[in-house]
């Protein structure tokens, strides 16, 4: 397929932009709040809406696929030939809860356009990824009857819940989801510069409980003879890091490898901005961290182990001479590179359990875990995304390394063993907050971006 086919696709998209937006409201009206069991039927209804739309557009094998959690949606079009690449296009159709409801100007599931902005929960995050990809497909097919490359769609229904059952799902559908690249279309930019996610860290969260006596005791009667659980919590926490901040869990750094040259260049490029933003967001003059690494390396390329909260004993006003019945703490560990979340969970558990003794036992509960991931920032596939944005937004995207975690990226990368790139197709803000909106000036350009990307991939 050539420039004429691209041009014809764009013309179709441009003449249908208003109709697309009108149609988008239909999907936005379905309250697919994945995390809330009360909306279970609505989540499925959204999945079924997408399947029906896929079938209408001529996407093949369109189906709702059950997971152990919320259903996923699959569809494909694989007639571009064996020589053409296959892209797995990912987005999620579940949305965040809407509280506090009274801060919404109009109800979150009654989409409304005000001042060129389409307000609705999920308008950006992330029904935009689902819908814009479908409209790009519609445009190319309507204009040409064929696509420049093979595509598979996978739309998730539990991203906002941390993708708790997606890993076994992907594992079980490895062949169905096999592709040359996975494209994550989740969210988008909120200013005039498009954004690409360059990396995310993995995560392991855990809760450690130290149970002691059957009830809170009088420290006068039992202090000195009963082992105090809060002391144990303090001892474990103080052992987690050395004086310079290195994590002391044996083997914790075994699989940490230096970041790639391309990513290193990104770190350099963004270092100053990241530090300025860090000062602004924390109100702190001085930062902390392991010697030998820059701020941005520590924030995105080094693993961490942070205590998120400690509880136990009396914390009210004045003194209360109590010896607590139990103490506990929660941690989150951010992982990088090849650190396997299961391996780190085991190492953490073993490290903490080592503190158990005759007088106190310790319970470790791993709460969640996911892989880190580096997405493509250079090479032909990343270039296909960069060129797509450049053609439609008139700007090349800013690549951002994230200190946070997006579990699905690592799952696709590790389970399917394919490279991942990111291409957000939303534009607007208030994601996860009241009055989430899509800036409609970018709606057409984003459909164009998705179209350009597929043509660029064929080159
Ligand atoms: Zn999202």
């Amino acid at each position: 397929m050539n420039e004429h086919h691209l041009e014809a696709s764009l013309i179709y998209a441009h003449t249908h932009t208003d109709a697309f937006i009108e149609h988008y409201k239909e999907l936005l009206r379905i309250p697919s709040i994945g995390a809330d069991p009360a909306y279970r039927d609505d989540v499925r209804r959204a999945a079924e809406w997408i399947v029906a739309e896929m079938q209408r557009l001529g996407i093949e094998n369109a189906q709702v696929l059950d997971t152990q959690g919320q259903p996923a949606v699959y569809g494909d079009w694989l007639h571009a030939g064996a020589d053409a690449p296959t892209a797995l296009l990912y987005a999620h159709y579940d949305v965040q809860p809407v509280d506090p409801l009274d801060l919404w100007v109009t109800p979150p599931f009654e989409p409304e356009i005000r001042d060129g902005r389409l307000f609705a929960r999920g308008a950006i995050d992330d029904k935009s990824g689902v819908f814009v990809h479908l409209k790009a497909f519609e445009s190319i097919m309507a204009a040409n009857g064929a696509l420049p490359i093979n595509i598979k769609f996978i739309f998730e229904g539990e991203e906002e819940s941390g993708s708790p059952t997606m890993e076994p799902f992907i594992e079980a559908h490895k062949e169905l989801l096999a592709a040359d690249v996975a494209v994550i279309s989740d969210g988008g930019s909120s200013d005039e510069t498009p954004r690409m996610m360059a990396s995310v860290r993995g995560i392991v969260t855990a809760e450690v409980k130290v149970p002691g006596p059957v009830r809170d005791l009088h420290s006068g009667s039992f202090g000195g003879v009963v082992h105090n659980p809060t002391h144990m919590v303090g001892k474990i926490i103080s052992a987690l890091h050395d004086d310079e901040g290195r994590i002391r869990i044996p083997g914790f750094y075994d699989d940490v490898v230096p970041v790639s040259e391309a990513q290193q260049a990104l770190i350099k490029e963004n270092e100053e901005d990241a530090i300025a933003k860090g000062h602004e967001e924390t109100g702190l003059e001085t930062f902390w961290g392991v010697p030998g690494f820059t701020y941005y390396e520590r924030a995105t390329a080094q693993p961490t182990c942070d205590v998120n909260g400690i509880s136990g004993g009396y914390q009210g006003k004045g003194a209360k001479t109590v010896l607590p019945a139990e103490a506990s703490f929660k941690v989150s560990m951010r992982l990088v590179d090849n650190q396997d979340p299961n391996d780190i969970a085991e190492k953490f558990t073993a490290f903490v359990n080592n503190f158990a003794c005759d007088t106190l036992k310790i319970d470790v509960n791993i709460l969640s875990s996911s892989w880190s991931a580096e997405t493509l920032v250079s090479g032909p596939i990343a270039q296909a995304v960069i060129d797509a944005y450049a053609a439609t937004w008139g700007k090349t995207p800013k690549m951002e390394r994230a200190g946070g975690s997006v579990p699905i990226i690592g799952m696709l990368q590790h389970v399917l063993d394919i490279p991942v790139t990111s291409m957000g197709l939303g534009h607007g803000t208030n994601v996860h907050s009241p009055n989430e909106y899509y800036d409609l000036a970018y709606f057409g350009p984003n459909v164009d971006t998705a179209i350009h990307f597929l043509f660029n991939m064929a080159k």
Side-chain angles (χ1 to χ4, degrees):
M1 294 176 86
N2 57 37
E3 287 298 312
H4 296 294
H5 297 106
L6 169 63
E7 206 45 50
S9 311
L10 295 172
I11 288 169
Y12 179 93
H14 297 170
T15 49
H16 290 79
T17 304
D18 290 344
F20 288 171
I21 291 168
E22 217 30 57
H23 194 198
Y24 190 26
K25 291 181 185 169
E26 250 183 55
L27 178 59
L28 292 173
R29 280 191 196 103
I30 307 173
S32 50
I33 304 173
D36 187 341
Y39 292 87
R40 210 173 174 81
D41 291 348
D42 293 306
V43 173
R44 183 161 286 272
R45 193 151 61 84
E48 283 164 358
W49 187 96
I50 296 165
V51 168
E53 176 62 6
M54 283 177 159
Q55 286 164 341
R56 190 183 73 83
L57 297 176
I59 293 168
E60 297 172 358
N61 300 308
Q63 57 194 295
V64 174
L65 289 174
D66 284 318
T67 70
Q68 291 158 40
Q70 302 287 12
V73 173
Y74 175 86
D76 61 33
W77 190 92
L78 304 170
H79 304 292
D83 291 342
T86 302
L88 178 67
L89 306 176
Y90 165 91
H92 65 89
Y93 69 89
D94 62 316
V95 300
Q96 278 277 315
V98 294
D99 316 82
L101 195 55
D102 56 327
L103 292 185
W104 286 80
V105 174
T106 47
F109 297 108
E110 292 174 27
E112 192 184 87
I113 298 173
R114 297 192 298 277
D115 300 330
R117 296 165 168 182
L118 174 57
F119 289 85
R121 169 57 86 231
I124 300 291
D125 186 14
D126 176 43
K127 286 175 175 169
S128 69
V130 173
F131 192 78
V132 172
H133 272 308
L134 292 179
K135 289 304 167 187
F137 178 92
E138 175 178 336
S139 302
I140 301 174
M141 285 298 278
N144 308 295
L147 294 187
I149 64 166
N150 302 308
I151 57 175
K152 297 179 175 182
F153 298 95
I154 185 71
F155 298 142
E156 183 186 357
E158 55 177 41
E159 197 276 343
E160 301 293 4
S161 316
S163 307
T165 74
M166 282 305 277
E167 188 156 346
F169 169 81
I170 295 168
E171 193 77 56
H173 295 85
K174 258 182 170 169
E175 219 159 287
L176 185 71
L177 301 176
D180 298 303
V181 61
V183 181
I184 306 284
S185 295
D186 189 1
S189 178
S190 59
D191 58 27
E192 71 286 352
T193 307
R195 297 282 194 286
M196 281 173 77
M197 218 178 333
S199 72
V200 292
R201 289 197 282 193
I203 192 169
V204 171
T205 59
E207 179 171 29
V208 176
K209 284 187 179 164
V210 182
V214 289
R215 69 184 73 85
D216 283 359
L217 302 175
H218 191 300
S219 73
S221 309
F222 295 99
V225 292
V226 170
H227 199 162
N228 187 325
T230 58
H231 297 187
M232 178 58 86
V233 162
K235 186 174 172 181
I236 299 170
I237 291 172
S238 68
L240 286 172
H241 300 87
D242 71 13
D243 286 345
E244 292 188 305
R246 276 176 220 92
I247 295 152
R248 291 172 64 199
I249 298 166
F252 190 84
Y253 292 98
D254 281 0
D255 296 317
V256 179
V257 295
V259 294
S260 67
E261 253 172 62
Q263 294 276 353
Q264 195 62 49
L266 261 187
I267 290 175
K268 267 218 174 86
E269 203 181 302
N270 289 302
E271 185 77 46
E272 237 172 84
D273 280 358
I275 293 173
K277 215 170 154 194
H279 285 302
E280 193 188 306
E281 286 186 13
T282 62
L284 295 174
E285 293 268 306
T286 317
F287 291 110
W288 177 85
V290 179
F293 298 100
T294 68
Y295 173 92
Y296 204 40
E297 281 172 333
R298 289 173 187 158
T300 67
Q302 281 293 302
T304 69
C305 177
D306 274 293
V307 174
N308 310 121
I310 306 175
S311 65
Y314 179 68
Q315 311 203 10
K317 285 202 177 102
K320 188 181 181 205
T321 52
V322 71
L323 197 157
E326 184 181 86
S328 66
F329 66 100
K330 293 190 180 195
V331 291
S332 59
M333 290 166 270
R334 299 286 175 172
L335 314 183
V336 297
D337 307 321
N338 299 327
Q339 285 184 301
D340 179 337
N342 298 318
D343 175 57
I344 293 296
E346 274 172 30
K347 284 172 174 163
F348 174 80
T349 304
F351 177 77
V352 172
N353 275 333
N354 245 337
F355 287 85
C357 54
D358 292 348
T359 45
L360 280 175
K361 66 185 198 96
I362 293 170
D363 296 329
V364 183
N365 186 14
I366 300 297
L367 302 174
S368 68
S369 66
S370 75
W371 286 89
S372 73
E374 281 193 355
T375 52
L376 297 169
V377 294
S378 59
I381 295 172
Q383 203 58 45
V385 180
I386 295 166
D387 291 346
Y389 280 122
T392 57
W393 289 46
K395 285 205 165 182
T396 53
K398 188 168 158 48
M399 311 257 185
E400 292 181 324
R401 292 176 56 85
S405 306
V406 184
I408 191 71
I409 300 180
M411 286 177 204
L412 292 170
Q413 203 169 64
H414 286 275
V415 180
L416 297 180
D417 197 20
I418 56 174
V420 176
T421 189
S422 83
M423 182 173 69
L425 297 171
H427 189 284
T429 190
N430 295 338
V431 166
H432 293 206
S433 302
N435 305 309
E436 177 176 356
Y437 70 83
Y438 200 122
D439 179 350
L440 292 176
Y442 284 86
F443 188 91
N446 278 340
V447 176
D448 292 357
T449 303
I451 293 171
H452 273 277
F453 169 72
L454 297 179
F455 278 89
N456 291 345
M457 280 291 291
K459 284 177 191 165

